[in-house]
Amino acid sequence: MSEIVVVGAGPAGLVAALLLGADGHQVTVLERDQARSGGLHRAWELWQRPGVSQFRMPHLLEPAGWRILRTHLPDVVTQLRHAGAAAVNRSGGTWRVPSDTGRWPDGDFDTVAVRRPVLEAALAAVAQETPGVSLRQGAGVAGLVADRTTEGRALRIRGVVTPQGDSVHADLVIDATGRHGQVSRMLREHGVTIAEERASAGFAFHARHFAGPMPGQSAWEVRHHDSLSTMVLPGDVGTWSVVLAAPDHDHQLRGLRHNDVWQGAAALFPHVAAWAEGIPISDVLTMKADRSSRRSLMADGRPVATGLLAIGDAWASTNPLFVRGLSMAFEHAVVLRNTVRAAAVDDAEQVALRFHEAVQITLAPVYERLTGWDRHRLALLDGMRQGRPRDGSPNGAGVGASARYVTPDADTAGLVAPGPSRAELLAAMA
């Protein structure tokens, strides 16, 4: 079996480590942020992750991602149930908590609701008890160990270097450092430049978490309006979150970062108002998603470096509006595990080629459709702000739930749900 280093202990890195460890590989996970304080139930209150800007932003695991956990990582499922993850059914673009709370989700449209700190704590707890997996938190990476054994061939990665100058050998290094792709960028120190495409996402997310008695209704997960989009996402132990997502360059809406302004605006949207009347358990949390991006370790059909693969947001980051990130990361980890099974790790070039091909089939189309939707939606909002009439009809978002993914078509960007006019919204924010 191989020695594998995973850099980054977010959901993508931990699921990859657990899947590879289950196959008998020796996996070392290096994470620069410190381990959580307190137990699993205190992760939300006490755990700080300064290296992850979206750590406390709302997340939702799609049924596709939940299926991966319950199929391949039952110990994680047990931890999530112990932590109070809520059974959720997603269908038709809405979510609801099943009335039979004793039922554990196992249908095509079922998943669990859990806040990201709690999910990461559950994954880390299992990783710490898994033979063959070593989780080293508070241990960063400063560089790559690499060589060129044959003239003209791709750079061969042999491990990583810690900030203390120690070398950690690896037959394969996995970059799971998120949207900034720190490990991939370290290739520049060895004279290798990777291709990166960027597409404007251009949204700012203003979110607030709530608790208390839930409104007795299903919630529309995502709805699009004339000036912004709204989201209502469930969480664990009777919590939920409400998100107002506006174009980042719309300066008139930047006041949404303030609690009182946010509350006044949320009250205007029929599908959000009741959910925004809960007991706040956070201030308004704001995160910019100013671009989507995708990196490639390939050039002209060949890898620019071998012995290094990128997964999750280190490969591609998308607009969080459609909450695809966690499930795509989990599927990416499965693709990685299957690639390592099919090709010997010591044949580094073959591993790189097979991995790239599999990702192009499974995940690249999702990225491309999401970025296409972003372009159309931003153009539409710009036009409405400048007084041009919009296209589309007053229907729902056009994006529902499925057993795998539902990715929006670009023409759904013009479909809007009932809500205040821009003038009414700005007046409430004044």
Side-chain angles (χ1 to χ4, degrees):
M1 291 292 109
S2 303
E3 294 182 3
I4 300 175
V5 167
V6 177
V7 186
L14 288 172
V15 170
L18 290 170
L19 293 175
L20 293 167
D23 276 3
H25 300 285
Q26 295 297 311
V27 185
T28 300
V29 184
L30 301 176
E31 168 56 55
R32 65 180 180 179
D33 285 345
Q34 297 294 326
R36 72 184 188 278
S37 302
L40 185 63
H41 295 282
R42 302 297 305 278
W44 170 260
E45 292 85 2
L46 299 179
W47 196 6
Q48 301 298 316
R49 290 275 267 122
V52 183
S53 60
Q54 71 272 29
F55 190 55
R56 281 184 167 73
M57 294 298 292
H59 288 72
L60 185 64
L61 183 63
E62 289 220 317
W66 172 242
R67 186 178 302 108
I68 288 171
L69 291 185
R70 73 174 196 254
T71 301
H72 301 290
L73 299 174
D75 289 345
V76 175
V77 171
T78 299
Q79 288 284 336
L80 290 175
R81 190 167 193 174
H82 178 64
V88 170
N89 178 268
R90 297 182 63 203
S91 58
T94 66
W95 64 265
R96 63 180 177 84
V97 177
S99 57
D100 177 11
T101 56
R103 173 181 166 275
W104 198 233
D106 58 5
D108 286 344
F109 293 94
D110 288 341
T111 184
V112 294
V114 58
R115 292 168 292 179
R116 175 164 172 166
V118 180
L119 172 61
E120 282 199 25
L123 289 166
V126 175
Q128 288 167 338
E129 300 297 327
T130 299
V133 176
S134 173
L135 175 57
R136 295 167 55 182
Q137 293 170 296
V141 170
L144 299 171
V145 178
D147 61 44
R148 294 184 186 272
T149 55
T150 305
E151 183 67 26
R153 297 195 64 179
L155 189 73
R156 178 65 163 95
I157 306 303
R158 302 288 183 182
V160 299
V161 179
T162 69
Q164 294 74 34
D166 300 323
S167 296
V168 181
H169 169 79
D171 300 302
L172 180 62
V173 174
I174 307 301
D175 181 4
T177 55
R179 65 178 58 234
H180 299 295
Q182 299 159 21
V183 174
S184 296
R185 295 180 187 276
M186 292 173 187
L187 289 170
R188 294 176 182 173
E189 299 173 5
H190 297 272
V192 175
T193 302
I194 64 172
E196 181 173 1
E197 65 177 68
R198 297 187 177 192
S200 177
F203 292 94
F205 294 81
H206 308 281
R208 202 167 194 188
H209 294 269
F210 295 89
M214 283 191 175
Q217 63 189 66
S218 297
W220 280 94
E221 185 177 295
V222 182
R223 281 212 157 183
H224 307 296
H225 307 273
D226 281 343
S227 296
L228 51 76
S229 297
T230 60
M231 304 172 69
V232 180
L233 298 179
D236 52 280
V237 295
T239 64
W240 66 91
S241 56
V242 178
V243 183
L244 305 181
D248 180 50
H249 56 266
D250 191 337
H251 291 201
Q252 290 179 302
L253 299 184
R254 290 189 175 179
L256 292 171
R257 67 188 64 192
H258 304 295
N259 291 346
D260 54 346
V261 175
W262 187 97
Q263 289 291 156
L268 298 179
F269 294 90
H271 302 286
V272 164
W275 297 91
E277 293 175 355
I279 301 169
I281 58 173
S282 78
D283 291 328
V284 175
L285 307 175
T286 295
M287 180 189 75
K288 292 183 180 181
D290 57 352
R291 64 179 173 85
S292 298
S293 64
R294 176 169 54 174
R295 302 180 183 91
S296 177
L297 292 169
M298 306 289 291
D300 299 323
R302 312 303 301 179
V304 297
T306 61
L308 172 66
L309 302 174
I311 64 172
D313 283 355
W315 166 71
S317 59
T318 59
N319 183 350
L321 193 60
F322 294 106
V323 291
R324 301 295 184 263
L326 286 175
S327 293
M328 289 178 69
F330 291 2
E331 183 166 3
H332 218 159
V334 172
V335 170
L336 170 65
R337 189 274 311 273
N338 292 345
T339 301
V340 172
R341 282 181 175 177
V345 172
D346 56 1
D347 189 347
E349 183 169 352
Q350 188 64 21
V351 168
L353 291 170
R354 288 197 178 197
F355 184 67
H356 175 74
E357 180 181 8
V359 170
Q360 290 302 107
I361 293 171
T362 57
L363 294 172
V366 181
Y367 170 85
E368 289 159 5
R369 291 184 69 183
L370 289 174
T371 54
W373 187 93
D374 288 343
R375 287 192 298 272
H376 284 74
R377 174 67 174 165
L378 286 170
L380 177 75
L381 291 173
D382 284 345
M384 289 189 289
R385 191 172 66 254
Q386 296 167 19
R388 297 195 301 269
R390 64 171 175 81
D391 296 322
S393 57
N395 297 313
V399 182
S402 76
R404 188 172 180 274
Y405 302 106
V406 170
T407 52
D409 291 311
D411 58 9
T412 67
L415 303 180
V416 298
S421 67
R422 182 176 180 85
E424 291 170 331
L425 176 61
L426 293 178
M429 294 175 58

